[in-house]
């Protein structure tokens, strides 16, 4: 018996792989509905959290490209119900420039719960709960 994967999970995993590869502009926008919003809940790097529209999401991707030398998203678990997908993700990023007290070359890790809602096969809403491991130099 073969298990059929949920289309929205496949899209969510491809999206995270594209972000790992520093997708931006049209390549990144292709995953999102034009009216998309991204909600980053408060965390160690963004204490006040952030809400971005599609243009803001693309701008944040460009900023990340300048700050990070490498990153990866490992999707550990995924569940889909209707138009919603819940992901458990391990993010690892190596900073390319000093970030506060952290030197260039330092590796950051975050355990992420991401909730995506889809409309017409595209992400319309994303909410991220990013739990960063201790942000101290080694």
């Amino acid at each position: 018996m073969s298990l059929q994967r949920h289309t929205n999970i496949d899209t969510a995993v491809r999206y995270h792989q594209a972000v790992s590869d520093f997708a931006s502009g049209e390549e990144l926008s292709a995953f999102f509905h034009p009216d998309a919003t991204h909600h980053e809940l408060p965390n160690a790097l963004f204490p006040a959290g952030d809400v971005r529209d599609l243009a803001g999401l693309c701008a944040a991707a460009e900023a990340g490209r300048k700050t990070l030398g490498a990153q990866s998203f490992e999707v550990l678990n995924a569940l889909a119900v209707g138009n919603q997908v819940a992901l458990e993700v391990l993010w690892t990023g190596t900073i390319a420039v000093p970030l506060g007290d952290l030197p260039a070359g330092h590796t950051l890790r975050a355990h992420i719960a991401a909730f995506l809602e889809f409309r017409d096969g595209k992400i319309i809403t994303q909410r991220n709960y990013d739990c960063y491991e201790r942000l101290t130099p080694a």
Side-chain angles (χ1 to χ4, degrees), residues 4 11 15 17 22 26 29 31-32 35-36 40 48 50 74 77-78 81 91 95 97 99 103 114 120:
Q4 184 175 1
T11 300
Y15 157 61
Q17 182 57 54
F22 294 105
E26 288 182 25
S29 295
F31 290 98
F32 289 92
D35 297 328
E40 185 168 2
D50 206 349
E74 180 184 357
N77 201 352
V81 175
W91 174 81
I95 56 176
V97 297
L99 182 65
D120 302 325

Side-chain angles (χ1 to χ4, degrees), residues 45 67-72 90-97 99 102-110 132-138:
L45 293 183
T67 305
L68 297 169
Q71 68 176 341
S72 67
L90 174 62
W91 174 81
T92 304
T94 303
I95 56 176
V97 297
L99 182 65
L102 302 175
H106 185 79
T107 299
L108 301 172
R109 283 185 190 75
Y132 286 89
E133 292 182 4
R134 188 179 303 266
L135 299 177
T136 55

Side-chain angles (χ1 to χ4, degrees), residues 6 9-11 13 19 22 35 38-39 46 58 69 75 78 83 88 97 103 111 116 126 132 135 137:
H6 194 285
I9 289 176
D10 290 341
T11 300
V13 170
V19 175
F22 294 105
D35 297 328
H38 179 269
H39 302 259
F46 296 93
C58 289
V75 176
N83 289 324
E88 178 186 6
V97 297
H111 304 269
L116 293 81
Q126 179 177 349
Y132 286 89
L135 299 177

Side-chain angles (χ1 to χ4, degrees), residues 3-18 31 75 77-80 82 84-87 116 118 121-123:
L3 297 176
Q4 184 175 1
R5 299 231 358 210
H6 194 285
T7 301
N8 291 340
I9 289 176
D10 290 341
T11 300
V13 170
R14 285 187 297 105
Y15 157 61
H16 278 81
Q17 182 57 54
F31 290 98
V75 176
N77 201 352
L79 299 170
Q84 298 192 31
V85 172
L87 301 172
L116 293 81
F118 287 78
K122 307 273 186 173
I123 301 165

